Amino acid sequence: MALKLADRPLEPGYRYFDRYVPSDGPSDGPPAADGAAPVIHKDAQVHDTILGPWTRIGARTSFSEVSMDAYSYIVNDASATYAEIGKFCSIARDARINPGNHPTWKAAQHHFSYRARAYDLGPEDDLDFFAWRRSHRVVLGHDVWIGHGATVLPGVTIGTGAVVGAGAVVSKDVPPFTIVGGVPAKPIRERFPKAVRDGLLALSWWDWTHDRLAGALEDFRHLDADAFVEKHG
C-alpha cells in the first residue's frame, strides 16, 4: 500500500515512521528535544505514522496511517487506523480507534475481495476499497480521554476535552467537553458550563509552549477549570 503521510510537512519535534523497527531511529524529520522524542514500546507496530514530541505508544498496540500530536499517549493492546489524534489525548488499554470496516452492501464482506493478493485470487488489491476506508477517518480533538475497551467507529469526530466511557461504542460525533458512554454511546453530561467550555477553547492551553505549561503546572494541579480560565484567560 502507498504511504500517505510520508510527504506531510513535519513540525519541530515531530517524527515520521514508515515502519517502526525497535533498533531503528526515525526515518525522517529533525531530532526532537532531549527527552521529548516519541517512545514506542518494542512490541508495538507502527506504520506510516507521524508522532509528536512527548508521545507514547504501549505494548502490542498498532498504528497504521495515524497522526498523533504532542503529549498524547495510547497504552497497551490498543489500535488506531486512519486517524488524526490531537494533543494531550489519553487513550486507555484495549481501545479501538477506527477498526476495520467491511463492505456490507456487496455480495461478500470478507476481505479476500479487497486483499486479493493474500489469497492468490488476483494480482492487485482493491485500491478503491482502501480509499473508501480512508475517507472515513477518525478525528480526536485535544485533551480527549478514551476509556478502557472503548471503540470509536469509522468517520467519527470527538471534540476537544470530551470523555468516552470504558467499553463505549461511539458511532456518532461527540461535542467538545461532553462525556459519553454506553453501546451505542450517548451523552451523559457536559463537563463544564458553557462559559467555562468557551473559556477553555479560547484559552487553548494545549497549544502553549512546554515552558508555559511548566510555569502553570501548579495551577493545573490546584485550580478547577473555572478558576483556571479566570486566571489565565
Side-chain angles (χ1 to χ4, degrees), residues 164-176:
V164 175
V169 177
V170 186
S171 59
K172 296 181 179 180
D173 292 353
V174 178

Side-chain angles (χ1 to χ4, degrees), residues 2-10 15-18 28 47-51 64-68 82-84 134 137:
L3 300 174
K4 297 298 182 181
L5 303 187
D7 296 327
R8 183 179 294 186
L10 296 177
R15 297 186 176 193
Y16 172 74
F17 295 86
D18 173 348
D28 196 5
H47 172 61
D48 195 17
T49 287
I50 294 173
L51 298 176
S64 181
E65 207 171 306
V66 175
S67 174
M68 187 163 74
Y82 308 141
E84 305 284 339
R134 288 188 177 93
R137 300 184 74 80

Side-chain angles (χ1 to χ4, degrees), residues 91-97 145-153 163-171 180-186 188:
I91 305 175
R93 145 179 224 131
D94 296 315
R96 298 288 179 263
I97 310 298
W145 176 18
I146 306 293
H148 184 117
T151 300
V152 183
L153 295 180
V163 177
V164 175
V169 177
V170 186
S171 59
V180 300
V183 181
K186 296 180 180 179
I188 297 173

